[in-house]
Amino acid sequence: MRFLRILSGILIFFLAFFILPGYCFHASAAGRLQPVDGVPVIVIDPGHGGENLGTQAGGIWDEKYMDMVTAQALYDELSLYDDVEVYLTRTGDVDVSFQERAAFAQSVNADFLFSIHYNASEYHDLFGSEVWVPLTAPFNNYGYQIGYELLRGMQDRGLLVRGIKTREGERGEYYAIIRETVALGIPAAIIEHCHVDEDRDKGFCASEEDLIRFGREDATAIAKYFGLKSTALQVDYSDYPLAEVGSANPVASTLRDETAPDVCRIEFLSADYETGVLSFTLSAADYDSPLLYYTYSIDGGQTYSERNAWPGSDVLTGKYEDTFTLSLTIPSGTKPSVIVRAYNMFDPYTESNRYDSPITFSYGQDSRAEEGDPSSVGEGGNEDASGTGTPPDSDTHDPASSNADSQNPPAADPVAKPVSGSAVAGEKQVSFVAFLEICLIIVVFLFVILLISQGIAYQNRKRRRRQGRREFQSRKEDGDTRNQLR
Ligand SMILES: [Zn+2]
């Protein structure tokens, strides 16, 4: 009996301390995976330089200058920490080859190289921040942990996070600075702070103060990663918890997802012909990677709107809203034919079904709604025009990456307004594992309950037997007494 009680106690302990917390707190904090011998040595690499201008799409500065301002601020701020060595790969306006930058990092025994950049896209339609990390474990995993801190900081400032990503090229690592540095046994990451050529990002890099601020915040993220302390700044990150990831395999969310989102559907909700507002329920999902942007067409797919951030998108947690209300203001005189594109964080997209309005929107000055084509079906007139596309990334400032996507210029711009939506989404890739864990928990619970009930039954049987014996004994004694009294 005692054996059973001990066994069930062990099982409950196991359940309470290992399985349940493991299930409930997947994203719990952890320590740094990367071992560091003694004082961390950090190399900051201002991108481009000299003849190599970087992107000029911002219109204010060449990227090489922006990279230098941010890198210098990062250097200055990080130098305020105790027990850290910091270096720059270039201090002047000179072009340094990727091999030379990597060799420099090796010469100072670097623990990490951070390459500082600003981004631009071929069609000037992308916005947000991203970090590129090595393809293979464990450098990939180190890159993930530092990338998470860097991007959380930018997200807190209001930038859209595009992800911690890898890119494979013909020679392994696609990006030369990562390829050359990793080849020498040093982890490296490229920090693309924001897009200089997109209105929603321009405000983050419009002044030198903005560029300095990026550098300072990068320094804070790097200090958190290495658990640094600063007497001058009066901060101590020695116990700072980092994102928890394994180290045996590359982090799944960093690996390029070549497949388009699995679902993208629009359903007619309402049309207000007085104000021109046409509303849909937009439902979409990607079972591999979170959704990041959407665009829409009101002319049947000939032209598309500018990119919009997907509501609730947080690629660091894998979450996004899988359903929301999309309200479009249709210009008067238009008979809209609406298609929506849902993009995942690696840029493949899926097109929704098409909604053909039966009526031409006509309001304001010419306020009578014209009759629609009678052959067109009312609100259910959904012709399935589903399609998918997988355009490559369109980061163009780097000479090594001049691929394009999206053949369509933005449409004359009706106003899009995503109105709230039912949350719940993302982390679908872990849901099967979660299901197995739940099954295991249920089995263990049932086993424990079985053991306990067996134990109780056994004890009851024993008690009954003892009682029976006692009754028999006392009946016998009673009988004896009665016999004696007679
Ligand atoms: Zn660059």
Side-chain angles (χ1 to χ4, degrees):
M1 196 53 226
R2 186 178 295 164
F3 167 74
L4 284 177
R5 238 179 276 160
I6 290 168
L7 189 69
S8 57
I10 289 169
L11 277 167
I12 288 167
F13 177 85
F14 178 70
L15 201 66
F17 285 87
F18 293 99
I19 297 183
L20 285 177
Y23 173 67
C24 300
F25 309 114
H26 264 298
S28 68
R32 190 184 62 241
L33 294 169
Q34 183 185 359
V36 173
D37 264 349
V39 173
V41 179
I42 294 150
V43 170
I44 301 158
D45 173 42
H48 313 283
E51 301 276 284
N52 179 351
L53 306 178
T55 183
Q56 297 175 280
I60 312 175
W61 304 291
D62 295 334
E63 187 204 338
K64 64 174 186 177
Y65 175 75
M66 302 174 74
D67 295 344
M68 184 51 102
V69 173
T70 298
Q72 187 66 52
L74 168 50
Y75 175 89
D76 293 344
E77 182 83 1
L78 209 49
S79 299
L80 294 175
Y81 284 83
D82 314 336
D83 302 323
V84 64
E85 270 182 53
V86 199
Y87 298 93
L88 287 161
T89 53
R90 70 175 175 96
T91 48
D93 182 16
V94 286
D95 195 6
V96 184
S97 75
F98 296 119
Q99 289 88 342
E100 285 172 303
R101 292 172 202 246
F104 173 76
Q106 191 186 38
S107 73
V108 297
N109 261 326
D111 288 298
F112 224 114
L113 178 142
F114 297 100
S115 197
I116 305 303
H117 289 262
Y118 286 85
N119 218 341
S121 62
E122 183 162 358
Y123 294 99
H124 313 300
D125 59 341
L126 303 180
F127 57 99
S129 314
E130 66 202 3
V131 172
W132 294 96
V133 300
L135 284 158
T136 49
F139 287 2
N140 169 278
N141 315 61
Y142 305 163
Y144 184 89
Q145 284 194 315
I146 179 62
Y148 190 96
E149 297 309 322
L150 289 162
L151 291 174
R152 265 283 177 253
M154 297 186 214
Q155 189 178 47
D156 289 345
R157 284 178 65 180
L159 282 147
L160 180 70
V161 171
R162 284 169 49 79
I164 304 161
K165 299 184 281 191
T166 56
R167 188 158 177 190
E168 196 170 1
E170 282 169 8
R171 291 189 279 160
E173 295 288 353
Y174 177 85
Y175 291 109
I177 187 65
I178 294 181
R179 187 170 61 239
E180 298 297 339
T181 310
V182 166
L184 299 179
I186 302 162
I190 296 173
I191 309 172
E192 292 283 3
H193 291 90
C194 66
H195 287 75
V196 300
D197 59 341
E198 217 283 347
D199 286 345
R200 280 157 289 189
D201 275 8
K202 275 181 181 172
F204 291 100
C205 57
S207 69
E208 297 214 355
E209 266 313 303
D210 293 327
L211 306 182
I212 288 168
R213 187 172 170 192
F214 271 122
R216 286 195 184 132
E217 291 185 1
D218 290 349
T220 305
I222 293 168
K224 286 174 176 170
Y225 176 77
F226 283 102
L228 302 180
K229 273 192 283 205
S230 169
T231 315
L233 298 169
Q234 293 192 312
V235 290
D236 181 355
Y237 296 119
S238 45
D239 292 321
Y240 187 84
L242 300 172
E244 185 178 39
V245 285
S247 60
N249 298 303
V251 179
S253 65
T254 67
L255 303 179
R256 192 173 187 83
D257 173 15
E258 301 286 355
T259 57
D262 300 273
V263 184
C264 181
R265 282 205 68 79
I266 52 171
E267 229 171 289
F268 174 86
L269 206 57
S270 63
D272 186 333
Y273 297 103
E274 303 283 307
T275 60
V277 175
L278 179 57
S279 296
F280 299 93
T281 300
L282 172 50
S283 311
D286 187 319
Y287 302 128
D288 307 308
S289 48
L291 300 178
L292 185 62
Y293 299 113
Y294 70 89
T295 60
Y296 55 89
S297 171
I298 60 165
D299 56 13
Q302 291 176 55
T303 59
Y304 277 84
S305 71
E306 64 176 3
R307 301 240 187 172
N308 298 282
W310 193 276
S313 177
D314 179 2
V315 306
L316 295 178
T317 57
K319 292 195 169 101
Y320 58 89
E321 291 191 3
D322 56 2
T323 305
F324 64 93
T325 301
L326 175 66
S327 292
L328 309 176
T329 301
I330 305 299
S332 186
T334 309
K335 190 177 168 191
S337 175
V338 177
I339 301 174
V340 174
R341 282 179 177 171
Y343 292 78
N344 73 23
M345 68 176 267
F346 288 93
D347 232 28
Y349 64 83
T350 294
E351 281 180 6
S352 72
N353 53 306
R354 193 170 87 200
Y355 168 81
D356 290 311
S357 170
I359 287 172
T360 299
F361 279 70
S362 184
Y363 55 92
Q365 285 171 333
D366 36 41
S367 58
R368 274 167 301 120
E370 289 168 30
E371 274 306 302
D373 180 351
S375 68
S376 179
V377 203
E379 65 176 51
N382 288 345
E383 187 180 319
D384 205 331
S386 288
T388 59
T390 56
D393 255 17
S394 48
D395 169 18
T396 57
H397 80 277
D398 198 318
S401 62
S402 56
N403 286 323
D405 77 345
S406 145
Q407 294 80 5
N408 297 298
D413 196 25
V415 186
K417 229 187 288 153
V419 187
S420 71
S422 74
V424 189
E427 294 198 68
K428 271 163 186 148
Q429 56 269 54
V430 299
S431 60
F432 183 66
V433 179
F435 172 73
L436 285 180
E437 281 178 1
I438 289 170
C439 288
L440 181 66
I441 288 167
I442 290 168
V443 167
V444 171
F445 257 125
L446 288 176
F447 184 63
V448 167
I449 287 165
L450 187 76
L451 278 178
I452 290 170
S453 65
Q454 284 292 321
I456 290 168
Y458 173 76
Q459 215 167 20
N460 281 347
R461 240 177 299 147
K462 212 161 113 184
R463 198 182 312 128
R464 241 178 283 131
R465 230 178 299 149
R466 224 181 289 137
Q467 223 163 16
R469 239 192 332 252
R470 219 177 294 133
E471 271 167 32
F472 175 74
Q473 202 84 33
S474 66
R475 259 205 309 275
K476 209 173 130 199
E477 278 164 18
D478 279 0
D480 286 353
T481 319
R482 274 198 299 274
N483 282 347
Q484 279 177 1
L485 284 175
R486 267 194 205 136

